[in-house]
Amino acid sequence: MIDVNKLQFSCKNFGGQFPGIRLIATAAVHGDETCGTKAILRLMQELDSGTFAIQRGSVTFVPVTNPLAYAKGERTGERNLNRNLFPNADPQDFEDRVANWLCPLLAQHDVLLDLHSFNAASEPFVMVGPRNNDGPLEPFKHEQQERALAKRLGVRRFVDGWLRTYGDGVQRRMSGSNELQTVLRYGMGTTEYMRSVGGYALTLECGQHNDPQAPEVAYRAILNTLAFLGMIDAPEPEPVAPEQMEALSMVAVYDKQHADDTFSRNWSSFDPVRQGEEIGRRADGTPVLAEFDGRILFPDASAEANSEWYYLTRPNPAF
Protein backbone atom coordinates (compact mmCIF):
# COMPACT_ATOMS: atom_id res chain seq x y z
CA MET A 1 0.00 0.00 0.00
CA ILE A 2 1.42 3.38 -1.05
CA ASP A 3 1.43 6.03 1.67
CA VAL A 4 0.55 9.12 -0.39
CA ASN A 5 1.59 11.42 2.45
CA LYS A 6 5.20 10.23 2.13
CA LEU A 7 5.48 11.05 -1.57
CA GLN A 8 7.42 14.14 -2.54
CA PHE A 9 8.22 16.13 -5.66
CA SER A 10 11.75 16.34 -6.99
CA CYS A 11 13.64 18.18 -9.72
CA LYS A 12 17.24 19.12 -10.43
CA ASN A 13 18.55 22.23 -12.13
CA PHE A 14 21.81 22.71 -14.05
CA GLY A 15 22.81 26.28 -14.86
CA GLY A 16 25.43 27.66 -17.21
CA GLN A 17 27.76 30.59 -16.64
CA PHE A 18 26.14 32.67 -19.35
CA PRO A 19 22.55 33.76 -19.97
CA GLY A 20 20.30 31.77 -22.22
CA ILE A 21 17.08 29.77 -22.50
CA ARG A 22 15.43 28.28 -19.40
CA LEU A 23 14.46 24.75 -20.43
CA ILE A 24 12.47 22.22 -18.42
CA ALA A 25 12.24 18.52 -19.35
CA THR A 26 9.57 16.39 -17.68
CA ALA A 27 8.83 12.66 -17.68
CA ALA A 28 6.41 10.21 -16.06
CA VAL A 29 3.48 12.60 -16.17
CA HIS A 30 1.80 9.24 -16.68
CA GLY A 31 3.31 6.68 -14.34
CA ASP A 32 3.60 3.82 -16.82
CA GLU A 33 5.51 5.98 -19.34
CA THR A 34 9.07 5.63 -18.07
CA CYS A 35 11.27 6.05 -21.14
CA GLY A 36 11.69 9.74 -20.41
CA THR A 37 12.60 9.00 -16.80
CA LYS A 38 15.39 6.69 -17.94
CA ALA A 39 16.69 9.26 -20.40
CA ILE A 40 16.63 12.10 -17.88
CA LEU A 41 18.43 10.06 -15.20
CA ARG A 42 21.11 9.18 -17.76
CA LEU A 43 21.57 12.82 -18.72
CA MET A 44 21.69 13.98 -15.10
CA GLN A 45 24.44 11.44 -14.43
CA GLU A 46 26.39 12.63 -17.45
CA LEU A 47 26.10 16.26 -16.39
CA ASP A 48 27.16 15.38 -12.86
CA SER A 49 30.19 13.45 -14.16
CA GLY A 50 31.26 16.21 -16.55
CA THR A 51 30.60 14.28 -19.75
CA PHE A 52 29.18 17.57 -20.98
CA ALA A 53 28.15 20.83 -19.34
CA ILE A 54 25.43 23.44 -19.56
CA GLN A 55 27.19 26.58 -20.74
CA ARG A 56 24.31 28.97 -21.43
CA GLY A 57 20.93 29.22 -19.78
CA SER A 58 19.65 26.47 -17.51
CA VAL A 59 17.84 23.16 -17.67
CA THR A 60 15.56 21.71 -15.01
CA PHE A 61 14.93 17.97 -15.06
CA VAL A 62 11.82 16.37 -13.54
CA PRO A 63 12.38 12.62 -13.97
CA VAL A 64 9.15 11.66 -12.19
CA THR A 65 6.42 14.27 -12.49
CA ASN A 66 3.64 12.15 -10.96
CA PRO A 67 5.20 10.07 -8.15
CA LEU A 68 1.95 8.35 -7.18
CA ALA A 69 1.24 7.09 -10.68
CA TYR A 70 4.91 6.12 -11.03
CA ALA A 71 4.88 4.18 -7.74
CA LYS A 72 1.73 2.37 -8.90
CA GLY A 73 3.21 1.69 -12.34
CA GLU A 74 -0.03 2.96 -13.83
CA ARG A 75 -1.10 5.82 -16.08
CA THR A 76 -2.76 7.81 -13.29
CA GLY A 77 -2.54 8.29 -9.57
CA GLU A 78 -6.05 9.46 -8.73
CA ARG A 79 -6.82 11.09 -12.11
CA ASN A 80 -5.09 12.08 -15.35
CA LEU A 81 -2.48 14.72 -14.48
CA ASN A 82 -2.29 15.80 -18.13
CA ARG A 83 -5.84 17.16 -18.11
CA ASN A 84 -7.21 20.16 -16.22
CA LEU A 85 -3.69 21.17 -15.20
CA PHE A 86 -4.03 24.38 -13.22
CA PRO A 87 -3.10 25.52 -9.71
CA ASN A 88 -5.95 24.75 -7.33
CA ALA A 89 -6.46 26.65 -4.09
CA ASP A 90 -8.59 23.78 -2.79
CA PRO A 91 -6.87 20.59 -4.03
CA GLN A 92 -9.20 17.61 -4.18
CA ASP A 93 -6.83 14.83 -5.24
CA PHE A 94 -3.14 13.99 -5.55
CA GLU A 95 -2.88 15.36 -9.08
CA ASP A 96 -4.21 18.72 -7.87
CA ARG A 97 -1.30 18.79 -5.42
CA VAL A 98 1.13 17.91 -8.20
CA ALA A 99 -0.29 20.79 -10.23
CA ASN A 100 0.21 23.21 -7.34
CA TRP A 101 3.92 22.31 -7.40
CA LEU A 102 4.37 21.83 -11.14
CA CYS A 103 2.55 24.85 -12.59
CA PRO A 104 4.66 27.49 -10.81
CA LEU A 105 7.76 25.53 -11.82
CA LEU A 106 6.72 25.53 -15.48
CA ALA A 107 6.04 29.26 -15.32
CA GLN A 108 9.68 29.87 -14.33
CA HIS A 109 10.88 28.48 -17.68
CA ASP A 110 10.78 29.41 -21.35
CA VAL A 111 10.55 26.00 -23.06
CA LEU A 112 9.11 22.63 -22.05
CA LEU A 113 9.95 19.21 -23.48
CA ASP A 114 7.48 16.68 -22.07
CA LEU A 115 8.41 13.03 -22.66
CA HIS A 116 5.74 10.36 -23.05
CA SER A 117 5.14 6.92 -24.57
CA PHE A 118 2.06 5.11 -25.84
CA ASN A 119 0.34 1.75 -25.68
CA ALA A 120 0.08 0.39 -29.22
CA ALA A 121 3.06 -0.31 -31.46
CA SER A 122 3.83 2.69 -33.67
CA GLU A 123 6.64 5.10 -34.44
CA PRO A 124 7.51 8.13 -32.30
CA PHE A 125 5.82 11.46 -32.97
CA VAL A 126 5.68 14.97 -31.55
CA MET A 127 2.59 17.00 -30.67
CA VAL A 128 2.95 20.69 -31.45
CA GLY A 129 0.85 23.71 -30.58
CA PRO A 130 -1.31 26.05 -32.63
CA ARG A 131 -0.40 28.64 -35.20
CA ASN A 132 0.21 32.13 -33.86
CA ASN A 133 -3.14 33.62 -32.86
CA ASP A 134 -4.84 35.89 -30.34
CA GLY A 135 -8.03 33.85 -30.07
CA PRO A 136 -9.77 32.94 -26.82
CA LEU A 137 -8.98 29.21 -26.76
CA GLU A 138 -5.18 29.03 -27.00
CA PRO A 139 -3.51 32.36 -27.85
CA PHE A 140 0.10 31.81 -28.93
CA LYS A 141 3.05 33.73 -30.36
CA HIS A 142 5.95 31.25 -30.56
CA GLU A 143 4.88 29.12 -33.53
CA GLN A 144 8.13 29.58 -35.45
CA GLN A 145 10.42 28.70 -32.53
CA GLU A 146 8.28 25.76 -31.41
CA ARG A 147 8.07 24.15 -34.84
CA ALA A 148 11.75 24.73 -35.54
CA LEU A 149 12.59 22.82 -32.35
CA ALA A 150 10.09 20.07 -33.20
CA LYS A 151 11.87 19.40 -36.49
CA ARG A 152 15.14 18.79 -34.63
CA LEU A 153 14.04 16.29 -32.00
CA GLY A 154 14.95 13.32 -34.19
CA VAL A 155 11.49 12.16 -35.25
CA ARG A 156 9.70 12.55 -38.58
CA ARG A 157 6.00 12.62 -37.62
CA PHE A 158 4.25 15.76 -36.33
CA VAL A 159 0.70 16.31 -35.12
CA ASP A 160 -1.07 19.58 -34.34
CA GLY A 161 -4.62 20.67 -33.59
CA TRP A 162 -5.21 18.95 -30.22
CA LEU A 163 -6.94 21.62 -28.16
CA ARG A 164 -8.94 23.09 -31.06
CA THR A 165 -10.30 19.68 -32.06
CA TYR A 166 -10.90 18.60 -28.48
CA GLY A 167 -12.71 21.89 -27.86
CA ASP A 168 -14.96 21.36 -30.89
CA GLY A 169 -16.08 18.07 -29.38
CA VAL A 170 -16.71 19.60 -25.98
CA GLN A 171 -18.79 22.39 -27.45
CA ARG A 172 -20.85 19.88 -29.44
CA ARG A 173 -21.52 17.73 -26.36
CA MET A 174 -22.30 20.66 -24.08
CA SER A 175 -23.99 23.17 -26.37
CA GLY A 176 -25.68 25.77 -24.18
CA SER A 177 -24.23 24.42 -20.94
CA ASN A 178 -22.82 26.84 -18.39
CA GLU A 179 -20.15 24.21 -17.63
CA LEU A 180 -18.57 24.57 -21.06
CA GLN A 181 -15.52 26.58 -19.99
CA THR A 182 -14.91 24.26 -17.03
CA VAL A 183 -14.82 21.24 -19.31
CA LEU A 184 -12.65 23.00 -21.90
CA ARG A 185 -10.10 23.42 -19.11
CA TYR A 186 -9.98 19.64 -18.95
CA GLY A 187 -8.11 19.68 -22.26
CA MET A 188 -5.25 21.64 -20.69
CA GLY A 189 -2.14 19.60 -19.95
CA THR A 190 1.53 20.37 -19.44
CA THR A 191 2.20 21.87 -22.85
CA GLU A 192 -1.05 23.84 -22.96
CA TYR A 193 -0.30 25.29 -19.52
CA MET A 194 3.24 26.19 -20.57
CA ARG A 195 1.90 28.10 -23.57
CA SER A 196 -0.69 29.83 -21.38
CA VAL A 197 2.08 31.38 -19.26
CA GLY A 198 4.04 32.68 -22.25
CA GLY A 199 6.38 29.81 -23.14
CA TYR A 200 6.38 27.17 -25.82
CA ALA A 201 6.28 23.43 -25.42
CA LEU A 202 6.39 20.05 -27.16
CA THR A 203 5.03 16.65 -26.21
CA LEU A 204 7.29 13.93 -27.55
CA GLU A 205 5.73 10.48 -27.74
CA CYS A 206 8.89 8.37 -27.79
CA GLY A 207 7.44 4.99 -28.77
CA GLN A 208 5.58 2.07 -27.28
CA HIS A 209 5.84 1.84 -23.49
CA ASN A 210 8.17 -1.17 -23.50
CA ASP A 211 10.08 -0.44 -26.68
CA PRO A 212 13.79 -0.67 -25.74
CA GLN A 213 14.50 2.14 -28.22
CA ALA A 214 12.08 4.60 -26.58
CA PRO A 215 14.57 5.79 -23.88
CA GLU A 216 17.12 6.37 -26.64
CA VAL A 217 14.58 8.47 -28.58
CA ALA A 218 13.98 10.55 -25.44
CA TYR A 219 17.72 10.90 -24.71
CA ARG A 220 18.53 12.00 -28.25
CA ALA A 221 15.66 14.51 -28.20
CA ILE A 222 16.92 16.17 -25.02
CA LEU A 223 20.48 16.39 -26.34
CA ASN A 224 19.23 17.80 -29.65
CA THR A 225 17.15 20.37 -27.75
CA LEU A 226 20.11 21.45 -25.62
CA ALA A 227 22.26 21.79 -28.74
CA PHE A 228 19.63 23.60 -30.83
CA LEU A 229 18.94 26.11 -28.04
CA GLY A 230 22.67 26.82 -27.72
CA MET A 231 22.90 25.51 -24.18
CA ILE A 232 25.77 23.05 -24.68
CA ASP A 233 28.86 23.08 -26.83
CA ALA A 234 27.61 20.89 -29.66
CA PRO A 235 26.78 21.33 -33.35
CA GLU A 236 23.24 22.50 -34.08
CA PRO A 237 21.18 19.49 -35.19
CA GLU A 238 19.85 19.53 -38.72
CA PRO A 239 16.07 19.61 -39.19
CA VAL A 240 14.37 16.52 -40.54
CA ALA A 241 14.38 16.57 -44.32
CA PRO A 242 11.07 17.77 -45.79
CA GLU A 243 10.68 14.65 -47.91
CA GLN A 244 10.91 12.49 -44.77
CA MET A 245 8.34 14.46 -42.76
CA GLU A 246 4.77 13.39 -42.13
CA ALA A 247 2.79 16.30 -40.74
CA LEU A 248 -0.80 15.74 -39.68
CA SER A 249 -3.53 17.97 -38.28
CA MET A 250 -6.25 16.70 -35.97
CA VAL A 251 -9.45 17.88 -37.64
CA ALA A 252 -12.35 15.92 -36.16
CA VAL A 253 -13.28 14.08 -32.98
CA TYR A 254 -15.97 11.40 -32.94
CA ASP A 255 -17.89 10.48 -29.82
CA LYS A 256 -18.93 7.18 -28.37
CA GLN A 257 -22.66 7.80 -28.09
CA HIS A 258 -23.59 4.56 -26.33
CA ALA A 259 -21.61 2.16 -24.15
CA ASP A 260 -22.26 -0.60 -26.70
CA ASP A 261 -20.78 1.28 -29.66
CA THR A 262 -17.89 -0.87 -30.92
CA PHE A 263 -14.95 -0.60 -33.28
CA SER A 264 -14.97 -2.85 -36.32
CA ARG A 265 -11.31 -3.71 -35.80
CA ASN A 266 -8.52 -3.18 -33.30
CA TRP A 267 -7.40 0.28 -34.38
CA SER A 268 -4.04 1.82 -33.50
CA SER A 269 -3.03 5.46 -33.77
CA PHE A 270 -1.93 6.42 -37.29
CA ASP A 271 -3.67 3.53 -38.99
CA PRO A 272 -4.76 4.88 -42.40
CA VAL A 273 -8.46 5.09 -43.20
CA ARG A 274 -10.18 5.66 -46.52
CA GLN A 275 -13.30 7.73 -47.04
CA GLY A 276 -16.30 5.45 -46.55
CA GLU A 277 -14.31 2.78 -44.68
CA GLU A 278 -16.13 1.31 -41.68
CA ILE A 279 -14.53 2.34 -38.42
CA GLY A 280 -17.15 0.98 -36.03
CA ARG A 281 -20.82 0.38 -35.41
CA ARG A 282 -23.31 2.12 -33.17
CA ALA A 283 -25.25 0.11 -30.62
CA ASP A 284 -28.19 -0.10 -33.03
CA GLY A 285 -25.99 -1.53 -35.79
CA THR A 286 -25.54 1.70 -37.78
CA PRO A 287 -22.08 1.70 -39.35
CA VAL A 288 -19.70 4.56 -38.53
CA LEU A 289 -17.80 5.45 -41.71
CA ALA A 290 -14.72 7.58 -42.27
CA GLU A 291 -15.76 10.94 -43.67
CA PHE A 292 -12.46 11.50 -45.48
CA ASP A 293 -9.09 9.92 -46.21
CA GLY A 294 -6.73 10.30 -43.27
CA ARG A 295 -5.28 8.57 -40.24
CA ILE A 296 -7.00 7.59 -37.02
CA LEU A 297 -5.59 8.93 -33.75
CA PHE A 298 -6.15 7.99 -30.09
CA PRO A 299 -8.82 5.31 -30.66
CA ASP A 300 -10.28 4.37 -27.28
CA ALA A 301 -12.32 1.17 -27.29
CA SER A 302 -12.99 1.56 -23.56
CA ALA A 303 -14.31 5.12 -23.82
CA GLU A 304 -17.46 5.89 -21.89
CA ALA A 305 -20.68 7.01 -23.56
CA ASN A 306 -20.81 10.69 -24.55
CA SER A 307 -17.03 11.06 -24.62
CA GLU A 308 -14.38 11.13 -27.32
CA TRP A 309 -14.00 7.78 -29.09
CA TYR A 310 -11.40 8.54 -31.75
CA TYR A 311 -9.91 11.40 -33.75
CA LEU A 312 -9.19 11.69 -37.46
CA THR A 313 -6.23 13.57 -38.93
CA ARG A 314 -5.48 14.94 -42.37
CA PRO A 315 -2.08 15.61 -43.95
CA ASN A 316 -0.80 19.10 -43.20
CA PRO A 317 1.45 20.14 -46.12
CA ALA A 318 1.77 23.67 -44.68
CA PHE A 319 3.61 22.50 -41.55
Side-chain angles (χ1 to χ4, degrees), residues 285-303:
T286 302
V288 180
L289 307 178
E291 294 183 330
F292 51 85
D293 293 350
R295 291 185 183 271
I296 197 168
L297 193 63
F298 304 142
D300 186 0
S302 61

Side-chain angles (χ1 to χ4, degrees), residues 49-70:
S49 67
T51 301
F52 60 92
I54 302 300
Q55 297 184 336
R56 289 166 290 278
S58 68
V59 57
T60 299
F61 290 117
V62 186
V64 177
T65 309
N66 189 334
L68 177 57
Y70 185 79

Side-chain angles (χ1 to χ4, degrees), residues 12 41 55 125 129 136-137 141 151 155 202 204 214 216 221 240 252 256 275 289 297 299 306 312 315-316:
K12 186 167 184 177
L41 292 175
Q55 297 184 336
F125 65 97
L137 182 61
K141 61 180 180 180
K151 292 176 183 179
V155 302
L202 296 168
L204 178 62
E216 186 65 31
V240 61
K256 196 172 191 179
Q275 183 177 7
L289 307 178
L297 193 63
N306 198 36
L312 286 185
N316 179 10

Side-chain angles (χ1 to χ4, degrees), residues 39 124 166 190 252 254 315:
Y166 171 84
T190 53
Y254 298 86

Side-chain angles (χ1 to χ4, degrees), residues 9-14 25-28 31 33-52 59-65 70 113 115 214-220 222-223 226:
F9 309 123
S10 176
C11 64
K12 186 167 184 177
N13 179 266
F14 295 86
T26 53
E33 302 178 13
T34 61
C35 59
T37 302
K38 295 171 184 175
I40 284 176
L41 292 175
R42 175 182 171 188
L43 277 155
M44 288 169 55
Q45 183 179 43
E46 291 177 346
L47 284 164
D48 280 331
S49 67
T51 301
F52 60 92
V59 57
T60 299
F61 290 117
V62 186
V64 177
T65 309
Y70 185 79
L113 178 62
L115 302 165
E216 186 65 31
V217 171
Y219 175 82
R220 180 182 61 201
I222 301 171
L223 278 184
L226 293 170

Side-chain angles (χ1 to χ4, degrees), residues 177-196:
S177 171
N178 58 11
E179 297 180 9
L180 176 59
Q181 290 304 315
T182 298
V183 179
L184 278 174
R185 285 167 59 100
Y186 187 74
M188 298 287 283
T190 53
T191 51
E192 290 79 20
Y193 186 81
M194 188 68 183
R195 295 183 194 111
S196 77

